[in-house]
Amino acid sequence: MWSRLRQIPIKHPLAFGVVISTFKTSASDLLVQTVVEGKKEIDWKRNAAFATFGCFYLGGVQYAIYVPLFGRLFPNAASFAAKPIREKIKDLKGLTALCGQVFLDQFVHHPLLYFPVFYGTREMVMSKDPDMMRMLRTYRENMKEDLAALWKVWVPSTFINFAFMPMWARIPWVAGTSLLWTCILSAMRGGDVSHGEDLEAPFPTGATFTLVKEGLDDMFACPVDEDAALAHLCISGAGPDRIGHVARMARTIADAGGNVTYSKMIRLGQEHVSLMHVSIPPEKRGELVDKLHNNKDLKSLNIRASPLVRRRTGTYQNAVAGFKIHCVGEDRAGMLAAIAEAIASRNMSIEDVQTEIRRGEQNKRDFVVNAEVVTTTRMDQEDLDSVIAEFKKLKEELNLRVVDIRVHMDN
């Protein structure tokens, strides 16, 4: 039985590759829908579309490219793959053919055929009103990031594929690498609205890589709301920077029986700024405030202690949706104001925002915004699409290179 099964991919390489590619693409999309997006009901129409893409393009078209076409262009490819490593190293013609296959696959096939087909499929599946010109514009905008992300993963994999895999195993190798990467990426990325299709694709795009190293924090856990039996204080301090400021503040709080649950400290030029959320038994609150104000070593910080109550930022008391917004563009006046106004116009509350200046391409100044935003309004897909559309418009108005939006819905 095992002997017969082993012969299937050798005797029927095209059918075997089609089946593997179809299953892989379908399984990747199911993984994203159930694990990453947390859907209770599977979108079988979407899954069927990606399974079709895997069947006809990944299994069929790529087989035609990797096996018959490359087999004719590089007639010694199969024999080179079967040689032991020692003989491969000595085979100059074989190594040249190997590099030629990798070059054609990664620098001709993918930029000119694979990506356009993928973006076309995505446009047909994701858009209510498909527009091929819009698809081409999107690919042109993402091309640099897309190819950089693709090559990091697939150039090494392609070398292994063309150097060691027999002809019948080329498509299964590609499918296996693609499935493994999609699974890893899905686990790292979390839920995504503006680039959700990146997770469903057979490869990661540049938009995916922009935030791939970041995790999705729990946006709905506010430390002020944690324990109603305790008093909560917002303690801030700002003044000339000195070594030990943080240590002295933290020690004073600890000695008074307080607990720092959330804090941020930063040095801006010669100035030091500290912000802490402290929980403490109500009867010890006055003692802590007195110790902070009477500590001579903290006088230069102008300590301010304010009592906190359960969150009352306007009408925001129970957030049900959280957004992480990441924007990058060449620095110009008014960028933060425009982004903050777009958020406020949606009746959403900014929980945290950080900005910085970086050196971008051609040594230009890039302005970077990272904002965490929440809303109490239940949002359906149409609402989310509207938010994305507004930020796409903002991207054009501010000439931003990157606008990434990740969303987390509180079920």
Side-chain angles (χ1 to χ4, degrees):
M1 178 66 72
W2 174 243
S3 178
R4 292 179 180 178
L5 291 175
R6 290 177 58 187
Q7 294 301 312
I8 292 176
I10 299 175
K11 292 182 178 180
H12 310 283
L14 176 57
F16 184 72
V18 167
V19 170
I20 290 294
S21 297
T22 304
F23 174 79
K24 181 274 303 181
T25 311
S26 175
S28 298
D29 181 62
L30 287 174
L31 175 68
V32 172
Q33 289 196 48
T34 56
V35 178
V36 180
E37 297 177 355
K39 289 186 175 181
K40 296 181 180 180
E41 296 184 4
I42 301 297
D43 185 345
W44 291 110
K45 180 180 178 181
R46 186 182 90 175
N47 186 259
F50 282 97
T52 301
F53 178 76
C55 175
F56 288 101
Y57 188 85
L58 301 182
V61 175
Q62 285 197 155
Y63 174 85
I65 294 173
Y66 290 159
V67 182
L69 179 59
F70 277 19
R72 292 180 181 180
L73 292 176
F74 307 96
N76 297 322
S79 60
F80 178 80
K83 290 181 179 181
I85 295 179
R86 289 183 179 180
E87 294 186 21
K88 282 186 172 73
I89 296 175
K90 299 177 182 178
D91 188 349
L92 182 60
K93 290 185 177 180
L95 291 173
T96 302
L98 170 62
C99 294
Q101 292 177 83
V102 173
F103 175 82
L104 287 178
D105 181 47
Q106 295 297 313
F107 298 92
V108 178
H109 163 223
H110 280 89
L112 300 182
L113 183 61
Y114 187 90
F115 275 89
V117 171
F118 164 70
Y119 274 96
T121 302
R122 188 185 72 169
E123 183 71 17
M124 296 296 293
V125 174
M126 299 296 177
S127 300
K128 296 179 181 179
D129 184 19
D131 183 344
M132 290 300 106
M133 293 304 297
R134 179 175 59 197
M135 175 273 291
L136 291 175
R137 288 195 300 270
T138 301
Y139 174 40
R140 184 178 61 185
E141 292 173 359
N142 295 343
M143 180 180 289
K144 183 177 179 180
E145 291 85 0
D146 286 351
L147 292 176
L150 181 79
W151 291 334
K152 290 176 184 178
V153 177
W154 289 100
V155 168
S157 175
T158 304
F159 267 107
I160 295 174
N161 192 18
F162 293 152
F164 299 101
M165 297 297 155
M167 288 297 188
W168 63 265
R170 286 188 168 189
I171 293 302
W173 173 265
V174 170
T177 304
S178 179
L179 174 61
L180 176 63
W181 175 249
T182 303
C183 291
I184 295 173
L185 185 62
S186 298
M188 295 176 67
R189 280 279 288 157
D192 184 281
V193 174
S194 61
H195 299 293
E197 62 275 7
D198 295 342
L199 298 178
E200 297 143 13
F203 58 88
T205 70
T208 298
F209 263 12
T210 303
L211 293 174
V212 72
K213 64 180 180 297
E214 296 184 10
L216 183 63
D217 300 327
D218 185 359
M219 296 182 179
F220 308 113
C222 177
V224 177
D225 292 338
E226 290 294 326
D227 192 343
L230 296 175
H232 300 272
L233 296 173
C234 175
I235 298 175
S236 61
D241 183 49
R242 284 178 53 191
I243 295 176
H245 272 330
V246 175
R248 284 186 285 272
M249 287 182 67
R251 173 50 58 193
T252 302
I253 293 169
D255 289 345
N259 180 38
V260 178
T261 62
Y262 181 81
S263 63
K264 283 189 176 183
M265 300 87 179
I266 188 172
R267 181 179 64 82
L268 297 173
Q270 297 179 347
E271 292 293 304
H272 171 93
V273 181
S274 291
L275 182 67
M276 299 182 180
H277 166 254
V278 176
S279 60
I280 190 170
E283 65 274 10
K284 294 186 176 182
R285 180 175 57 189
E287 177 187 348
L288 171 59
V289 173
D290 290 340
K291 285 188 174 182
L292 288 170
H293 288 158
N294 294 330
N295 190 324
K296 295 181 180 179
D297 292 329
L298 296 177
K299 288 291 184 182
S300 62
L301 278 183
N302 298 314
I303 297 293
R304 183 174 181 269
S306 305
L308 293 175
V309 295
R310 294 177 68 86
R311 52 179 292 125
R312 296 188 185 280
T313 306
T315 60
Y316 297 92
Q317 298 182 16
N318 297 296
V320 297
F323 295 82
K324 273 198 169 183
I325 300 172
H326 174 74
C327 302
V328 181
E330 188 175 348
D331 185 33
R332 54 182 284 191
M335 294 178 70
L336 178 60
I339 294 171
E341 287 167 355
I343 294 170
S345 69
R346 289 278 171 176
N347 204 29
M348 298 190 294
S349 172
I350 296 178
E351 297 295 290
D352 182 83
V353 62
Q354 297 183 31
T355 66
E356 61 177 311
I357 297 294
R358 296 178 184 170
R359 288 296 175 185
E361 298 178 356
Q362 301 178 350
N363 207 32
K364 294 181 179 179
R365 286 163 54 94
D366 275 349
F367 186 72
V368 183
V369 178
N370 289 295
E372 294 184 3
V373 179
V374 298
T375 180
T376 58
T377 304
R378 292 287 178 184
M379 308 185 77
D380 56 21
Q381 188 60 49
E382 185 176 350
D383 296 324
L384 296 176
D385 290 342
S386 177
V387 172
I388 301 306
E390 183 165 345
F391 271 88
K392 284 184 177 179
K393 181 180 178 182
L394 193 65
K395 180 179 181 180
E396 296 179 0
E397 293 176 352
L398 297 178
N399 195 27
L400 300 172
R401 290 201 315 279
V402 178
V403 173
D404 280 301
I405 302 177
R406 293 189 296 164
V407 73
H408 178 72
M409 306 296 287
D410 185 5
N411 295 323

